Amino acid sequence: MTEHASNETVTIIDNTNDRQAVMPLLSGTAGAKVIDIRNLYKELGYFTYDPGYTATGSCQSKVTYIDGDEGVLLYRGYPIEQLAEKSDFMEVCYLLLFGELPTKEQKDKFVYDVSHHTMLHDQLNYFYRGFRRDAHPMAVMCGVVGALSAFYHDSTDINDPWHRTVASYRLIAKMPTIAAMAFKYSVGQPFTYPRNDLSYAENFLHMCFAVPAEPYQINPVVAKALDLIFILHADHEQNASASTVRLAGSTGANPFACIAAGCAALWGPAHGGANEEVLKMLSQIGDKKNVGDWVKRAKDPDDPFRLFGFGHRVYKNFDPRAKVIRKAAHDVLGELGITDPLLEVAVELEKIALEDEYFVKRKLYPNVDFYSGIILKAIGFPTSMFTALFAVGRTVGWIAQWNELIEDSSQKINRPRQLYMGPTNRDYVPIEKRS
Ligand code: SDX
C-alpha cells in the first residue's frame, strides 16, 4: 500500500503526565484524513477506545469511497448512479477486482472465465440433503460456502496470486449456484444446473425459477432489475461483513473460509439481514394509514422497534443506492403490471419519517435495504432469500477487499485491544472456603 510522505502531524497532549506525542496525519485522495496512531502505545502507553470502530480506519483502500454526509458512493472512482445506469454487473465485478473498466476483449474473457466456473462439485449436492427443508438460506450459504475449501485445495494458497485469482473467479461464479440451490431445496424442487449461455442475472433467475417440466422464459425487465440490484450491493467500503472478511483474511485463512465468515456477518438484521426485516415490517404495518403509529413506536426509546431500512452508520444523508432502487421499484412493478400495497406503505413511511424531527435530527434516511425487498418480492423471491441475494452481489466486494488486504504489506493479523474492566489479580479460593 502507498506509504505517505506527508509531513502533517497531530500532537496529542497528555495532561495527566505532562507529556505529548506527535503522530503523523495521513491524507488520502478523498475523504477524512487519518491520525496514524500505530506508535501511540509505544510513546504514551495508551490504547485508543472506539467501540464499533465508528471513527477508526482499519486499512488503506482504493476500492470504494463513501461520503456519508453528501450521500456519495464511488466504485474505483465511478459514481454508483452512472454504473447503475450504464454498466452491468459483470463489468462492475471486473472494475472492483482490477481497478479499471475493461476493454471489450477483457470483458468478454472475464465473462467467459467466470461463467465456466459456475458449476459446483457434484458431491456438494449432498450437503443440502443434511439441512431441513425449512433451513434459512443463509444458514445453508454459510455452511456450503465454508465447505468449498474442502473441494478446491488447488486455489487456497493465499500467497500465490494465481491461486487468489482462481479462488476469486470460483467464488463469484459459484455463489449464485449455491444460493439458487438453497432456494430450490427450500421449495422441494430439483436443482437446476447453471447455463453458460446466459448472463449472470439471467442464469440466476434460470437456476431459481426454471423447472424440468416446462421451458422457462426469462423476463428481460426482471433480469435487468436483478443485475442492477447486484451492482448496487457489490461493495461498500469497510462495512461489517467486509471487515469480517478482512479480519479472517488477516489470519491467513483460505478465501472460501473468509467469504463464509462474511456471509455469517452479513446475516445480522442490523446489516444485510435488514432487507428481509424491512418486508416483514412493511407487512406488519399492512396499510399506509397505520404508518403514523409505527413511526411513533420507532421513536419511543422504551420500545425496541426500529424502522428497518432506515439509518446508516456512515450515510447521514440519502443512501444513493436507495434512490436508484426506489426508482427501479416503481419501474419494475409498473412494467410487470404489479401493484403492491407494501410499496405504498414504504413511500408513505419514507414521507412521514423524512418530515419527522426525530429522524431529521438524527439524520436517518432510507438505506439500500428499504426498497430492495419490494423488487425482490415482485420478482418472486421469498423474504428468506433476500439476504442470500445480497450475499451474491456482495461477494465481489468481499473478494476485492480480501485481495487488497493480502497484497497490503503494511497489514498484520488484525488484533484489537480493549479497556479491561474485570477483576484485578486475585488468588484461587478452594470450594470449601467459598460462601
Ligand atoms: C446495511 O455499513 C454498511 O455499509 C452497511 C451496508 C452495506 O452496504 O454493507 O450499507 C448495508 O447494513 C444497511 C443498514 C441496514 N440496517 C438497517 O436498516 C437496520 C435499521 N438501522 C439501524 O439498526 C441503524 O441505523 C444502523 C445499525 C444501520 C446504524 O446504526 P448506528 O449508526 O450505530 O446508529 P445509532 O444506533 O448510533 O443511531 C443514532 C440514533 C439512536 O437514537 P439516540 O440514541 O440518539 O436517541 O438514531 C436512532 C438510534 O436509536 N436510530 C433509529 C434507527 N436507526 C438509528 N431509530 C429508529 N429507527 C432506526 N432505523
Side-chain angles (χ1 to χ4, degrees), residues 4 19-20 74 86 88 133 193 258 285 358 362:
H4 290 258
R19 56 187 180 162
Q20 64 184 36
L74 310 177
K86 300 172 180 172
D88 61 52
R133 290 281 181 176
Y193 284 103
C258 293
I285 295 172
Y358 172 96
R362 291 168 177 79

XYZ file of all heavy atoms in Angstrom, residues 4 19-20 74 86 88 133 193 258 285 358 362:
115
model
N 2.930 7.139 3.113
C 2.694 8.570 2.929
C 3.928 9.402 3.273
O 4.525 9.218 4.325
C 1.519 8.990 3.815
C 0.239 8.434 3.297
N -0.677 9.159 2.580
C -0.242 7.172 3.346
C -1.671 8.382 2.227
N -1.445 7.179 2.678
N 3.094 15.327 29.277
C 3.933 14.942 28.137
C 3.065 14.969 26.891
O 1.856 15.186 26.960
C 4.518 13.548 28.358
C 3.454 12.519 28.607
C 3.987 11.167 28.985
N 2.854 10.278 29.205
C 2.956 8.960 29.216
N 4.136 8.383 29.034
N 1.891 8.202 29.422
N 3.665 14.757 25.730
C 2.904 14.772 24.487
C 3.522 13.825 23.485
O 4.648 13.351 23.655
C 2.856 16.195 23.920
C 4.215 16.746 23.525
C 4.110 18.197 23.069
O 3.321 18.969 23.612
N 4.873 18.530 22.047
N -18.682 5.784 -4.633
C -17.874 5.579 -5.834
C -17.259 4.190 -5.795
O -16.637 3.823 -4.787
C -16.734 6.615 -5.907
C -17.061 8.107 -5.729
C -15.762 8.926 -5.771
C -18.033 8.588 -6.790
N -25.403 2.791 -16.665
C -24.687 2.493 -17.926
C -23.941 1.163 -17.941
O -23.528 0.703 -18.992
C -23.682 3.633 -18.196
C -24.349 4.979 -18.328
C -23.348 6.116 -18.399
C -24.075 7.464 -18.532
N -23.146 8.607 -18.425
N -23.019 -3.004 -16.312
C -23.721 -4.231 -15.916
C -22.871 -4.917 -14.854
O -21.729 -4.546 -14.615
C -23.981 -5.161 -17.117
C -22.681 -5.606 -17.783
O -21.781 -6.111 -17.078
O -22.559 -5.405 -18.996
N -35.625 -28.842 5.204
C -36.118 -28.092 4.037
C -36.426 -26.644 4.427
O -36.345 -25.751 3.594
C -37.387 -28.755 3.481
C -37.120 -30.105 2.806
C -36.572 -29.945 1.401
N -36.337 -31.239 0.751
C -35.939 -31.391 -0.514
N -35.745 -30.330 -1.264
N -35.714 -32.579 -1.028
N -29.200 -26.866 -13.102
C -27.791 -26.577 -13.343
C -27.620 -25.226 -14.031
O -28.516 -24.765 -14.748
C -27.157 -27.699 -14.182
C -26.889 -28.953 -13.381
C -27.730 -30.056 -13.487
C -25.833 -29.006 -12.470
C -27.511 -31.192 -12.714
C -25.606 -30.130 -11.698
C -26.445 -31.227 -11.814
O -26.237 -32.327 -11.050
N -12.994 -17.297 4.455
C -13.179 -15.860 4.693
C -14.545 -15.387 4.180
O -15.237 -14.615 4.840
C -12.069 -15.073 3.994
S -10.442 -15.362 4.696
N -47.000 -3.437 9.203
C -47.705 -2.148 9.146
C -48.977 -2.316 8.320
O -50.045 -1.846 8.680
C -46.789 -1.057 8.562
C -45.602 -0.812 9.510
C -47.562 0.237 8.330
C -44.531 0.099 8.940
N -37.584 13.721 14.800
C -36.734 12.660 15.384
C -35.755 12.141 14.340
O -34.561 12.017 14.600
C -37.628 11.520 15.880
C -36.879 10.291 16.338
C -36.570 10.088 17.688
C -36.461 9.313 15.423
C -35.889 8.959 18.115
C -35.775 8.184 15.831
C -35.491 8.017 17.177
O -34.796 6.894 17.588
N -31.619 13.103 13.782
C -30.632 12.016 13.822
C -30.115 11.657 12.427
O -29.349 10.705 12.262
C -31.252 10.787 14.488
C -31.503 10.991 15.986
C -32.364 9.903 16.561
N -32.526 10.072 17.999
C -33.366 10.936 18.559
N -34.126 11.721 17.785
N -33.458 11.038 19.882
